[in-house]
Amino acid sequence: MSSDIRHRILLEWERCRVEWNSASPSGPISTFGFKAVSEIDLDGHWFKERDRRSQTNSSRPRQIAQPTRVLFPGQHVPIDPSSRPAFFFRRSLLRRTASQYSFAHLDEAFSQIAPSSFVAPVSEADNELIVDRASHLLSRLPATPLRLPNLLAPPEDPDKHGWLRIDGGAVKWETLESVHRVSTCVIRMALAIATTWDRSLEQNMRGRESHKFRELLDFLSELLDSTSYELEMLGPQMKWQSWRWFVLKSYLWSTWQRCVALHYWRILQDQLVSGFDYTSLSDLTLRPNVDSVAASEQQTALKSEYMCSLAYHILRRSRSTAVLDLRKFHSVFSRQFRYEPGRCNNVASCDGTSPSACRRIKGATIVDQSQHDLLCPDPKECRRIRWDESSYRQVVGARAVSIMPRYEEGDDEVQHDLKFETASGDTLAVSHVWSHGQGGRPETGINECLHRRYCGIARKFGCSSYWIDVTCIPSAHELREEAIMNINKVFLSSRTVLLCDKDLMGIDTSVIETADDSAPASVSLMESILCTLLVCDWNVRAWTLLEALRGRKNIHILVQSGGKNRAISLRKILQSVTMHGSINIGILFLMNYHLFPAPSSFDWLTLNTDGSSELRMAKVKDLQRRGVFNVSYDARLAASRIEGGFLSVSEAATLLAQRFASRPGDDVIIWSLLVGDDPFSNAYHLWTRSTRGLDLMESDRAIYTGYLLSNVPRLHLPGFSWAPRQPGLLITAHGAQDSGNQYPPYDGNLSRIGTIEFNYDQPSTPKAYLRAVWGVSSLSFERGVVKSYDFRPPRTDMVPHAALLNSLENFSEGILLQPLQEIDESSTSQADIEGGAGADPAIALASVYKGPSRGPLFAICGRKAGGSVNDPWIWAGVLDWGAGIELPHFEVREVVLQ
């Protein structure tokens, strides 16, 4: 970090610091605000128009309220004309790219959006510590933000460059002042984090901070899209302004990139201390923009040939990875495997389209027990140790292999068969990839060298037994079924989970003295381990996802050190990289929270139900609004489930959607085990589990509408046309759906919540209905066929999509559904959306599909002839609208699906 940046951090600290006095609270207070653009007037134009419109509208008679219309953010529609405050703010920023201004003028104007104040101790040492922490944070960001997808050339006339003059030669992104200089908003965010640095539960600093990071980032993303639109719409006479628009855009983009990383880092810091809680994912779900999507696609070119493309696409499409800078991730992975050819298909990587295109997942010849330990003296002479079936059958419940006395790595003692005991808190649970050669069944046995390995590692952790599927899940149907029923218990109660993957096991960690080693060489190697883990074969399997979620309190990775086995703590190396390594690597693990320890139920209740202050009460109300819990009993039950690693039905499906199981039908079984202890082979039992009356909460009947937007097959049962019958499209490694366009489900976080209701006319087979508020666009029918969309003003030249005609072939009525963003009552953005006084009718924002579609993705719903206007609708499929096509009119309505 240069002395210039540290000096600017110090100046900003002095500018925003509020003096400590006797009336101040006993600890620091950190406020990073977000000021609505309707309250900002940089040049004196907006307030004049606002007041004039207010006076004009006050004299008009009150108009009849119109239905709330739906606005699609970003690339799908041009700038909404009602958002006048944002228009004036954007033009005022552009004005500050003119030659009479400078970077400082532009930066000062934009920083008004994030007013900040910090109450902190007055001692010089404490002040220096806060500034040092902020400086250290910024030093671990990339020196240059990710490049915008399209660089512009400045006009030939230097007088039209504004203050960012380019004197000959090509434009170099890293040398642009608007890029390499750190903005004030970035500095304030770093200071806000540094002021309330201590994240221990005892301090509970979250109750001492008000950080509007997400509000700023989502506004910045909208501002980037509207700036892109202004740039594209410049007429021939105004093309000379394109460079100045580009300068503004590069400033906004660089600020957004850095702030996204800092925002995610603070979440990562919290989750490593208190445990990861999936109910708090809303802060991770950031609004992407046109350029972030394009930049994400372009980064694919950096991928190493050794990296599986399918695994990379899972990572890239995980929640908000599309808004992240992956350059460091690619660099670290490529350095680790620079001499390795691809192994998806002989010496090449797969194309990432489906499991059938990757031999890591499908098609490779798998030889059980072909893997041997690195200490195995002679793999050809290594014998198999088979089970003692009578010992297995004598144990009641979950079984684990007993560790014989003194039997570990290097011992000469011979063991003839495997003995069993009840799996317990003294069990080492081994999670591995079958195709890497450790597969098999207890009847055929385990290689003696592998048995010795796990006995030795288990003994080092103070365990008396170990569990691995090859020794503990027999082939016999009744024994296999019983063993699967106990998997949750095994991993949840185990002392340690050992993660085994071929790529990770090949990494020599001799340079790392301890798991919390902060030496640069050690941290660099830890970054390699983390990058490898993110895209390794183990991390794309469905069973290993379940095993990790249940056993995540203490996951260790099997690596090597000086020719010997070593189990290294995942949590500790992640902590070391988080505090000392690249920020852009650590934050990628927020998209893989199944690898984080879960919070204890007591800690979760402490953090989420404490309403002793205004800030803390706001957190409680937010969780209640999103259906996480309703009353205190709900909260206690939610805390217990979260501690146990259990998920909601839709969240479990989101995690499984692009992972793979080894057998047909296993995906639904795993789905059910992620939600509860009972394995189901039919998704109907998952969706109706709230009718069984056991430990049920409000959230059991709640579902994010955005999650439903996919072409996953639905249940063919009355009342369940909306309900997915499997978690994702890629069912198994041997039965993947490879044809046609695929629209996998995403979490739907921040979309409106629907409620599942049941009709008990037939108690044994209850009928379900889904009631929710959507954006709705009506379709016109003529003689039982869709004829037109609802355009405002009407147009007749738009031929209905073929997918729409096919889906509604047997219906007489039809609608398109668009999920809506949830309403945040604490947010001030609605005033900006509506444009202040005298604006057009109220607007609801669309929660757009985050997957690989050409344009907006809509649900298609129909009704049969002969019913009433109050009849429920039937889910009939999805429609990819396509890019660059005018959208029909959508308005907000409640819809009931059956």
Side-chain angles (χ1 to χ4, degrees):
M1 177 61 61
S2 69
S3 58
D4 173 65
I5 293 296
R6 195 183 188 286
H7 178 66
R8 287 185 59 206
I9 293 172
L10 183 59
L11 290 177
E12 197 60 30
W13 169 249
E14 294 296 337
R15 179 182 180 185
C16 297
R17 184 168 63 88
V18 177
E19 290 294 337
W20 197 287
N21 56 53
S22 57
S24 299
S26 57
I29 296 290
S30 174
T31 303
F32 181 94
F34 173 70
K35 192 173 183 179
V37 288
S38 58
E39 300 173 18
I40 299 175
D41 189 1
L42 296 174
D43 296 316
H45 301 310
W46 158 237
F47 285 173
K48 289 180 181 178
E49 177 171 313
R50 180 194 63 184
D51 295 341
R52 184 172 62 252
R53 294 174 71 185
S54 179
Q55 292 169 5
T56 302
N57 287 323
S58 64
S59 62
R60 292 178 179 173
R62 179 176 293 274
Q63 297 180 347
I64 298 174
Q66 299 295 314
T68 302
R69 61 192 180 93
V70 178
L71 173 65
F72 288 77
Q75 66 270 39
H76 304 309
V77 292
I79 302 164
D80 186 76
S82 67
S83 189
R84 297 293 289 170
F87 170 82
F88 281 108
F89 185 71
R90 192 167 55 248
R91 290 307 176 100
S92 294
L93 294 178
L94 177 67
R95 191 170 293 114
R96 283 157 178 78
T97 63
S99 56
Q100 65 267 37
Y101 294 99
S102 65
F103 174 91
H105 291 102
L106 173 61
D107 187 49
E108 176 64 26
F110 182 76
S111 67
Q112 292 191 35
I113 204 78
S116 302
S117 63
F118 312 114
V119 179
V122 294
S123 76
E124 186 173 339
D126 286 332
N127 287 336
E128 285 291 320
L129 182 59
I130 290 172
V131 172
D132 285 344
R133 284 169 173 166
S135 300
H136 186 237
L137 264 182
L138 295 183
S139 72
R140 294 191 292 123
L141 292 173
T144 305
L146 186 65
R147 205 188 81 168
L148 274 169
N150 296 305
L151 288 183
L152 292 186
E156 293 182 2
D157 184 355
D159 292 336
K160 294 181 179 180
H161 287 198
W163 53 258
L164 187 51
R165 294 173 66 96
I166 303 296
D167 297 322
V171 175
K172 293 183 179 179
W173 173 256
E174 64 275 10
T175 64
L176 296 177
E177 187 179 4
S178 53
V179 171
H180 69 75
R181 292 195 64 180
V182 178
S183 71
T184 296
C185 281
V186 175
I187 291 173
R188 286 179 184 173
M189 188 176 283
L191 285 170
I193 293 170
T195 301
T196 49
W197 186 265
D198 187 347
R199 311 311 285 176
S200 64
L201 295 173
E202 295 75 19
Q203 293 293 329
N204 194 7
M205 287 294 187
R206 294 181 225 193
R208 296 180 175 276
E209 61 191 19
S210 176
H211 292 166
K212 302 291 185 180
F213 294 167
R214 202 190 86 201
E215 288 86 341
L216 171 70
L217 289 167
D218 286 348
F219 171 76
L220 255 173
S221 196
E222 284 187 48
L223 192 56
L224 278 163
D225 275 343
S226 58
T227 301
S228 297
Y229 179 76
E230 295 258 28
L231 186 56
E232 291 170 7
M233 296 305 292
L234 287 175
Q237 302 300 319
M238 301 299 291
K239 279 296 183 183
W240 62 271
Q241 278 196 353
S242 60
W243 174 252
R244 285 176 51 197
W245 276 112
F246 174 77
V247 171
L248 172 58
K249 187 175 175 180
S250 65
Y251 167 84
L252 297 173
W253 170 261
S254 300
T255 297
W256 182 73
Q257 281 272 307
R258 291 177 172 122
C259 286
V260 164
L262 291 176
H263 168 62
Y264 278 171
W265 186 88
R266 167 41 58 95
I267 297 174
L268 176 64
Q269 185 192 25
D270 277 338
Q271 305 299 354
L272 280 173
V273 171
S274 60
F276 200 98
D277 166 20
Y278 80 90
T279 66
S280 64
L281 288 171
S282 59
D283 281 341
L284 283 179
T285 311
L286 299 178
R287 181 194 185 280
N289 53 69
V290 179
D291 292 294
S292 69
V293 174
S296 178
E297 292 287 348
Q298 288 184 359
Q299 290 183 89
T300 302
L302 302 174
K303 189 186 76 67
S304 160
E305 187 66 24
Y306 186 74
M307 187 187 301
C308 173
S309 297
L310 205 58
Y312 176 65
H313 286 320
I314 291 174
L315 172 70
R316 192 171 64 84
R317 292 172 180 167
S318 297
R319 286 203 164 84
S320 291
T321 312
V323 304
L324 294 182
D325 179 351
L326 300 176
R327 290 174 299 170
K328 181 69 173 178
F329 162 75
H330 284 296
S331 171
V332 170
F333 187 93
S334 296
R335 184 182 67 232
Q336 180 65 37
F337 296 100
R338 59 188 175 277
Y339 301 121
E340 300 290 338
R343 66 180 177 89
C344 297
N345 297 311
N346 296 322
V347 294
S349 177
C350 63
D351 62 11
T353 56
S354 72
S356 63
C358 180
R359 292 176 64 84
R360 293 191 188 208
I361 296 169
K362 181 181 178 182
T365 301
I366 301 172
V367 179
D368 290 347
Q369 292 301 296
S370 57
Q371 184 184 125
H372 290 267
D373 186 58
L374 57 87
L375 295 176
C376 185
D378 187 354
K380 291 182 179 180
E381 298 297 324
C382 187
R383 69 187 183 92
R384 298 269 188 96
I385 305 180
R386 294 173 175 81
W387 70 335
D388 180 335
E389 184 176 353
S390 63
S391 172
Y392 186 96
R393 291 183 179 273
Q394 287 171 12
V395 177
V396 177
R399 285 89 163 179
V401 176
S402 297
I403 297 173
M404 304 301 288
R406 297 186 297 104
Y407 195 83
E408 53 185 293
E409 294 178 90
D411 285 341
D412 295 327
E413 185 177 335
V414 175
Q415 184 174 346
H416 297 287
D417 48 26
L418 301 173
K419 304 296 183 182
F420 295 88
E421 62 184 67
T422 302
S424 67
D426 292 329
T427 297
L428 169 76
V430 181
S431 181
H432 71 103
V433 179
W434 190 286
S435 63
H436 287 185
Q438 292 194 74
R441 291 299 173 209
E443 311 94 90
T444 56
I446 183 174
N447 288 336
E448 182 179 18
C449 63
L450 299 182
H451 177 60
R452 287 180 179 274
R453 174 166 78 191
Y454 296 129
C455 284
I457 294 173
R459 192 177 299 281
K460 289 176 182 177
F461 284 107
C463 296
S464 63
S465 63
Y466 75 85
W467 183 101
I468 187 172
D469 56 2
V470 62
T471 62
C472 299
I473 301 183
S475 298
H477 177 73
E478 70 280 2
L479 292 178
R480 170 182 161 81
E481 192 173 66
E482 181 188 7
I484 287 175
M485 287 183 66
N486 285 305
I487 284 180
N488 274 349
K489 180 180 178 182
V490 170
F491 279 84
L492 185 60
S493 63
S494 64
R495 176 168 297 181
T496 302
V497 170
L498 185 67
L499 188 167
C500 300
D501 181 271
K502 179 179 179 179
D503 289 336
L504 291 163
M505 291 161 61
I507 297 177
D508 191 322
T509 62
S510 303
V511 70
I512 303 175
E513 294 186 6
T514 61
D516 52 4
D517 191 345
S518 61
S522 299
V523 172
S524 178
L525 186 55
M526 291 178 191
E527 290 176 344
S528 295
I529 294 172
L530 295 182
C531 290
T532 302
L533 173 56
L534 285 169
V535 289
C536 72
D537 293 351
W538 180 91
N539 204 31
V540 301
R541 293 327 199 259
W543 279 114
T544 53
L545 170 72
L546 171 67
E547 293 163 359
L549 264 170
R550 289 294 170 272
R552 56 191 173 137
K553 66 178 180 290
N554 191 23
I555 295 177
H556 281 64
I557 302 171
L558 181 61
V559 292
Q560 55 180 279
S561 179
K564 295 183 178 180
N565 293 310
R566 179 182 188 181
I568 191 166
S569 167
L570 170 58
R571 184 176 189 173
K572 287 185 177 179
I573 63 173
L574 184 53
Q575 286 174 328
S576 289
V577 171
T578 299
M579 302 310 295
H580 306 289
S582 167
I583 286 177
N584 280 8
I585 287 179
I587 59 179
L588 286 174
F589 273 77
L590 291 172
M591 320 308 158
N592 288 261
Y593 68 80
H594 57 287
L595 301 173
F596 282 73
S600 70
S601 57
F602 176 81
D603 290 345
W604 190 90
L605 288 168
T606 300
L607 289 171
N608 294 287
T609 63
D610 177 7
S612 59
S613 71
E614 184 178 346
L615 291 173
R616 292 171 182 169
M617 194 63 205
K619 171 73 170 176
V620 174
K621 290 181 177 178
D622 179 61
L623 290 171
Q624 289 176 328
R625 178 174 54 81
R626 291 192 284 114
V628 176
F629 63 83
N630 189 20
V631 293
S632 58
Y633 171 76
D634 267 2
R636 291 194 298 273
L637 189 54
S640 175
R641 282 195 188 178
I642 290 165
E643 180 179 24
F646 293 103
L647 307 173
S648 68
V649 176
S650 58
E651 179 62 25
T654 299
L655 286 181
L656 282 175
Q658 296 186 71
R659 287 178 166 85
F660 317 104
S662 54
R663 298 187 182 204
D666 276 7
D667 57 337
V668 177
I669 293 173
I670 298 166
W671 191 9
S672 63
L673 289 173
L674 287 172
V675 175
D677 281 322
D678 298 324
F680 302 128
S681 58
N682 189 330
Y684 168 80
H685 300 297
L686 267 174
W687 292 112
T688 58
R689 68 186 300 273
S690 64
T691 64
R692 295 179 178 84
L694 298 173
D695 289 339
L696 300 175
M697 310 186 306
E698 195 77 16
S699 60
D700 288 317
R701 297 177 186 265
I703 183 170
Y704 285 111
T705 51
Y707 155 71
L708 293 174
L709 210 58
S710 75
N711 63 342
V712 168
R714 311 285 151 157
L715 288 173
H716 297 303
L717 293 169
F720 290 90
S721 69
W722 53 269
R725 73 167 185 251
Q726 62 197 45
L729 292 167
L730 306 175
I731 310 172
T732 69
H734 302 287
Q737 298 177 0
D738 298 327
S739 60
N741 294 321
Q742 296 192 11
Y743 305 105
Y746 283 78
D747 54 18
N749 223 301
L750 296 186
S751 63
R752 303 271 181 103
I753 292 174
T755 303
I756 303 172
E757 301 173 353
F758 291 94
N759 182 328
Y760 293 97
D761 289 344
Q762 295 180 327
S764 60
T765 56
K767 222 181 192 184
Y769 299 92
L770 182 72
R771 186 182 300 275
V773 173
W774 300 78
V776 180
S777 183
S778 299
L779 301 169
S780 296
F781 277 67
E782 185 177 311
R783 297 177 183 174
V785 178
V786 180
K787 280 299 179 184
S788 62
Y789 300 102
D790 182 12
F791 285 107
R792 309 275 177 97
R795 51 179 290 189
T796 57
D797 59 332
M798 184 77 174
V799 177
H801 291 69
L804 188 66
L805 297 173
N806 294 334
S807 297
L808 295 176
E809 185 177 2
N810 298 315
F811 295 91
S812 61
E813 293 181 75
I815 54 175
L816 300 177
L817 298 184
Q818 166 62 52
L820 303 174
Q821 288 188 23
E822 67 174 353
I823 300 173
D824 187 350
E825 296 173 359
S826 65
S827 175
T828 59
S829 62
Q830 190 65 27
D832 303 324
I833 295 167
E834 296 177 12
D840 292 342
I843 289 171
L845 290 178
S847 180
V848 295
Y849 178 65
K850 293 183 288 184
S853 60
R854 297 186 301 275
L857 193 68
F858 304 134
I860 305 170
C861 296
R863 279 199 298 221
K864 304 280 187 179
S868 74
V869 294
N870 295 320
D871 283 352
W873 294 87
I874 296 173
W875 186 283
V878 293
L879 172 65
D880 189 337
W881 188 258
I885 306 172
E886 181 186 351
L887 291 168
H889 174 80
F890 280 82
E891 60 187 39
V892 177
R893 278 193 251 156
E894 184 178 80
V895 174
V896 178
L897 298 173
Q898 68 170 1

